Amino acid sequence: QRILRLAEMCRRLESEEEKVLPFYPSSLVEEEQRDARQILQETPVEPLAWAMRDYVGLERFWQRFNKAKLEEQALERERAALSQRNRRLRELLRQYLAGISVSQEVLSEPNPL
C-alpha cells in the first residue's frame, strides 16, 4: 500500500511529457521485440527465471529509476561544464579589471591587455 501511495504521489509530479511518453522508445528492431515477447511468454525452466517472474511488475519502476539516474548524470556533467566555464569567465573578468585599474600590484605585472 505504501509503494502504491508513493507511486500515485510521484505520478502527480510528472510533467505532461512524462505522462504521455514516459520512456524512450525501444532500440530493438521489430524482429528482436517479437523474439523478446516470445521468450517472455515461455514457461521458465530455471529457478532464477521463476524468481524473476515475481518481479515483472517492477519493470516500470526500474525503467523510471534508470531514466532518473541517466538524467542525474547528464545534469552533473552539464553542471561541471558550466562551473568550468564560469571559472574561465571570472578569470577573464579579473584580467580585464586588472588591465583597466591602476595600482602598484598591477603596475608591477605585465599588462594582460
Side-chain angles (χ1 to χ4, degrees), residues 14 22 58 70:
E14 289 178 351
L58 292 175
L70 287 172

Side-chain angles (χ1 to χ4, degrees), residues 2-5 9 19-20 28 31 33 49 54 59 61 65 67 73-74 79-80 85 87 91 100 102-103:
R2 182 172 179 250
I3 292 173
L4 291 175
R5 191 173 68 246
M9 289 171 45
K19 289 179 182 177
V20 176
L28 299 176
E31 184 179 322
Q33 288 179 0
D54 295 338
E59 183 177 348
F61 165 78
F65 179 81
K67 181 181 178 189
Q73 287 181 351
R79 181 180 178 198
R85 183 176 179 205
R87 280 193 301 276
E91 179 61 27
I100 62 171
V102 178
S103 70

Side-chain angles (χ1 to χ4, degrees), residues 85-97:
R85 183 176 179 205
N86 191 22
R87 280 193 301 276
R88 178 71 180 131
L89 289 173
R90 286 179 188 267
E91 179 61 27
L92 290 172
L93 181 61
R94 187 190 64 73
Q95 288 177 1
Y96 173 75
L97 292 175

